[in-house]
């Protein structure tokens, strides 16, 4: 093996290989002296340790040459990003606030009893640019795209916490797992970060690694119409649309992105989503806002709007957050709304609010760290 070409760094700043794509892994190997011709094969070897077994130490990679393991350990780690807080709700929901860099934090939420066994709701951006008026994330100023590595790391952190990496002695398979589904319904608009979302889905769905099938990965969008077909073609993921209104006037208010891509354009894009069928339906999310979008005529308008689309509808009771102008619809109202949809043949489960006690419910994700840091700064200034 050639001598490493990068100079060794202090351990605190060693980059982690956990979360990288196959191509990135190969690059990292070449950077420490692995012959380019052999880099792909070596990367595949590491892949299985990193993503199938979830190891956090190069020394566990028993079929990798000792010398290479030592070189890797000298330059890299397999560390996950720092977990700032981890909260467990009384209903089993878990929320992690993850530090991705100084002042950059994102949240991921594990929700038991969703999908085949449980779903991890991942963030695709820190903050969000869309400013949907009922969503807490939209009130956060700081915004940046997450890298594919940072998206994959959320899944790895959840697997760590749930203890779901197989070992030689305990070959876990899908039937034994709690985390079976991934939903891109955390912070951010995934279609504004499609390259990284796509790369992350490649890693998460790879059968030699984390192996969560593309059919169990759902990407939710507020309606970036021109990117919808591309999402389907590139990722093969399931599509979810945050609809929330059945006419442009109201949707313009709730989801301002509608002013750019109106319902007509959005629905043309949805109808063109690749491979739609009864086995591969679009999920429509509809947040129930008291006196705003919850009338029976609106339920009927929704049925009309979805005509001909293989669809399921998720009615989401609005989750209030400090300072919001909205209230959640009454339970009776939600049930009557659902009844109209059911009669029209749509399965329309009312999504039970989960993790409310830890502010982990839909649309409540918003890192408080910006505020906290400001107060820390003030304290520090006062101390001087
Ligand atoms: N930007 C994407 C991904 C975020 S998903 C999208 O809009 O689809 C977050 C889901 O939670 C969306 O359906 C969103 O409309 C919903 N949501 C946001 N705030 C909410 C709240 N306070 N109560 C209930 N659902 C909310």
């Amino acid at each position: 093996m050639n001598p490493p070409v990068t100079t060794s760094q202090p351990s605190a700043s060693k980059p982690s290989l956990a979360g990288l794509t196959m191509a990135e892994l190969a690059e990292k190997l070449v950077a420490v002296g692995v012959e380019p011709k052999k880099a792909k094969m070596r990367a595949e070897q590491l892949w299985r340790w990193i993503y199938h077994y979830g190891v956090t130490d190069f020394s566990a990679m028993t079929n990798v040459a000792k010398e290479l393991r030592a070189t890797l350990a000298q330059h890299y780690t397999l560390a996950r990003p720092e977990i700032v807080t981890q909260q467990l709700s009384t209903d089993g929901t878990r929320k992690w606030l993850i530090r991705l860099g100084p002042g950059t934090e994102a949240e991921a939420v594990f929700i038991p009893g969703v999908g085949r066994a449980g779903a991890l709701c991942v963030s695709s951006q820190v903050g969000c640019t869309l400013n949907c008026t009922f969503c807490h994330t939209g009130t956060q100023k700081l915004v940046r795209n997450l890298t594919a590595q940072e998206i994959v790391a959320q899944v790895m952190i959840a697997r760590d916490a749930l203890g779901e990496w197989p070992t030689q002695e305990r070959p876990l398979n899908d039937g034994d797992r709690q985390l079976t589904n991934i939903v891109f319904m955390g912070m951010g608009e995934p279609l504004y970060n499609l390259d990284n979302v796509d790369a992350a889905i490649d890693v998460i769905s790879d059968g030699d690694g984390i192996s969560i099938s593309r059919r169990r990965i759902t990407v939710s969008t507020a309606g970036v119409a021109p990117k919808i077909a591309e999402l389907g073609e590139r990722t093969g993921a399931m599509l979810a649309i945050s609809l929330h209104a059945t006419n442009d006037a109201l949707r313009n208010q709730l989801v301002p992105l509608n002013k750019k891509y109106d319902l007509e354009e959005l629905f043309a894009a949805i109808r063109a989503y690749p491979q739609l069928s009864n086995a591969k339906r679009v999920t429509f999310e509809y947040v129930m806002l008291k006196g705003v979008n919850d009338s029976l005529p609106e339920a009927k308008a929704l049925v009309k709007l979805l005509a001909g689309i293989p669809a399921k509808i998720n009615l989401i009771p609005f989750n209030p957050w400090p300072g919001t102008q909205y209230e959640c619809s009454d339970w009776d109202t939600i049930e009557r709304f659902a009844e109209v949809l059911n009669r029209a043949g749509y399965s329309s489960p009312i999504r039970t609010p989960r993790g409310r006690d830890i502010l982990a419910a839909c649309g409540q994700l918003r890192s408080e760290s910006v505020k906290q840091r400001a107060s820390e700064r003030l304290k520090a200034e006062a101390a001087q």
Side-chain angles (χ1 to χ4, degrees):
M1 207 172 67
N2 301 326
V5 290
T6 54
T7 51
S8 79
Q9 296 167 323
S11 70
S13 63
K14 277 196 250 179
S16 175
L17 301 184
L20 295 185
T21 62
M22 188 69 86
E24 288 167 337
L25 262 186
E27 273 169 34
K28 296 290 185 199
L29 288 169
V30 172
V32 296
V34 171
E35 270 179 66
K37 264 196 306 197
K38 295 198 174 145
K40 184 160 186 287
M41 187 194 77
R42 294 272 175 254
E44 282 167 359
Q45 236 175 354
L46 295 194
W47 186 269
R48 195 151 173 85
W49 291 109
I50 299 174
Y51 296 120
H52 179 75
Y53 292 112
V55 303
T56 52
D57 199 328
F58 292 107
S59 64
M61 302 181 168
T62 44
N63 66 348
V64 177
K66 253 199 175 140
E67 197 193 344
L68 178 57
R69 277 189 264 158
T71 308
L72 290 172
Q74 204 187 333
H75 294 275
Y76 304 120
T77 72
L78 294 167
R80 318 336 190 184
E82 180 193 348
I83 298 170
V84 185
T85 55
Q86 181 170 189
Q87 288 171 282
L88 179 61
S89 161
T90 48
D91 64 20
T93 301
R94 292 166 188 249
K95 179 170 89 166
W96 297 272
L97 176 64
I98 301 166
R99 180 164 296 142
L100 301 167
T104 315
E105 281 152 19
E107 289 181 306
V109 178
F110 172 71
I111 316 148
V114 171
R116 172 142 153 211
L120 183 72
C121 179
V122 296
S123 294
S124 56
Q125 298 182 310
V126 173
C128 189
T129 54
L130 294 177
N131 298 314
C132 299
T133 46
F134 54 87
C135 179
H136 204 191
T137 308
T139 65
Q140 186 172 330
K141 288 286 166 288
L142 182 70
V143 181
R144 83 154 165 84
N145 281 339
L146 297 189
T147 62
Q149 181 175 32
E150 291 166 338
I151 296 170
V152 174
Q154 297 171 56
V155 182
M156 301 184 80
I157 281 173
R159 274 231 170 135
D160 290 346
L162 295 167
E164 297 205 332
W165 297 109
T167 59
Q168 311 274 19
E169 302 77 51
R170 195 182 61 134
L172 264 177
N173 55 44
D174 214 23
D176 309 319
R177 285 207 170 96
Q178 298 178 68
L179 199 186
T180 52
N181 295 61
I182 303 285
V183 295
F184 282 80
M185 294 183 185
M187 293 159 65
E189 170 49 49
L191 297 198
Y192 280 166
N193 188 17
L194 185 51
D195 288 345
N196 293 333
V197 166
D198 177 29
I201 290 176
D202 277 349
V203 175
I204 296 163
S205 63
D206 188 279
D208 285 327
I210 294 173
S211 200
I212 294 177
S213 104
R214 292 170 190 272
R215 288 290 179 103
R216 296 220 185 102
I217 300 178
T218 301
V219 176
S220 177
T221 177
V224 186
K227 290 276 181 188
I228 286 178
E230 194 183 334
L231 170 75
E233 281 150 17
R234 290 175 68 175
T235 70
M238 306 292 282
L239 175 66
I241 301 286
S242 292
L243 189 62
H244 311 314
T246 55
N247 63 74
D248 283 317
L250 179 60
R251 197 161 191 273
N252 286 346
Q253 284 174 34
L254 300 178
V255 184
L257 181 69
N258 195 72
K259 293 181 210 157
K260 206 160 174 190
Y261 311 114
D262 65 10
L263 286 170
E264 194 183 336
E265 190 173 351
L266 176 59
F267 273 83
I270 295 167
R271 288 174 196 279
Y273 197 70
Q275 296 173 350
L276 282 190
S277 67
N278 279 339
K280 196 171 177 191
R281 293 170 197 245
V282 183
T283 300
F284 287 90
E285 296 157 277
Y286 195 96
V287 63
M288 298 300 292
L289 302 169
K290 188 177 197 161
V292 174
N293 64 355
D294 61 355
S295 70
L296 291 186
E298 278 162 309
K300 288 178 190 146
L302 181 55
V303 170
K304 239 181 158 172
L305 198 55
L306 303 193
I309 302 175
K312 26 183 190 191
I313 304 163
N314 252 331
L315 296 180
I316 315 174
F318 171 65
N319 287 304
W321 37 272
T324 179
Q325 54 175 310
Y326 298 106
E327 283 176 76
C328 182
S329 310
D330 299 325
W331 201 254
D332 281 359
T333 310
I334 300 180
E335 284 192 333
R336 268 184 273 129
F337 197 99
E339 184 52 34
V340 173
L341 307 177
N342 292 340
R343 260 188 276 127
Y346 289 101
S347 106
S348 54
I350 303 167
R351 202 189 276 172
T352 29
R354 311 297 295 270
R356 271 194 171 169
D357 54 337
I358 57 170
L359 225 68
C362 282
Q364 289 183 319
L365 301 186
R366 180 190 187 281
S367 154
E368 288 297 319
S369 61
V370 179
K371 214 158 77 191
Q372 275 168 13
R373 264 196 319 283
S375 71
E376 276 163 24
R377 202 181 54 234
L378 288 178
K379 253 189 261 163
E381 280 169 11
Q384 279 176 5

